[in-house]
Amino acid sequence: MPSDGPLLARAAYDRAAHHRSDDEWLATAWTQARVLVISPKSATPVADGPELAFRASADVPADAPRRFLGVAGDVPYFAVTTERDSLDDGGEWLTLRDVGPAIDDLQAGLLTSAIALEQWH
């Protein structure tokens, strides 16, 4: 259940900045990662609930820009930016404004960070 705090201030994961320059760790983490896909327009696929539709790293385009978001528990999270039509999922894509109030703190923090990194890059 989402907290009552400000939407963009919610984060339930460790950004693990100490791993960002460790290429070996990042390569291993990528093989175990849950990946949040976003479009250049900052939309993301959602599942029922709504829940963000995380993917395995093997299920995203290999040439898509990837960004390490952090870890929650033992799970590394990355974001990948790609055009919607590069994924043949037929699912619904929504923006942070659409899903932010309905998703939990972990998902809200990850999506906010993914969008911020995409916009920064």
Side-chain angles (χ1 to χ4, degrees):
M1 187 67 166
S3 73
D4 294 329
L7 175 64
L8 297 179
R10 297 188 285 158
Y13 68 99
D14 178 359
R15 294 178 192 234
H18 60 286
H19 288 308
R20 295 186 187 281
S21 60
D22 185 341
D23 292 337
E24 185 177 331
W25 186 91
L26 289 170
T28 300
W30 175 249
T31 66
Q32 305 162 2
R34 293 189 73 198
V35 180
L36 179 59
V37 177
I38 63 170
S39 75
K41 300 290 186 194
S42 300
T44 189
V46 294
D48 294 332
E51 294 284 324
L52 301 182
F54 291 95
R55 299 174 187 277
S57 57
D59 297 334
V60 298
D63 61 344
R66 74 173 88 146
R67 295 171 178 78
F68 175 62
L69 298 174
V71 295
D74 293 331
V75 180
Y77 287 88
F78 284 77
V80 166
T81 304
T82 190
E83 294 294 337
R84 293 180 192 191
D85 59 0
S86 69
L87 300 172
D88 294 328
D89 64 359
E92 185 175 17
W93 288 61
L94 298 174
T95 66
L96 178 60
R97 180 173 287 180
D98 298 325
V99 299
I103 55 180
D104 66 25
D105 292 352
L106 174 60
Q107 292 181 58
L110 291 168
L111 182 55
T112 301
S113 294
I115 291 169
L117 284 169
E118 170 57 27
Q119 295 301 315
W120 185 75
H121 282 278

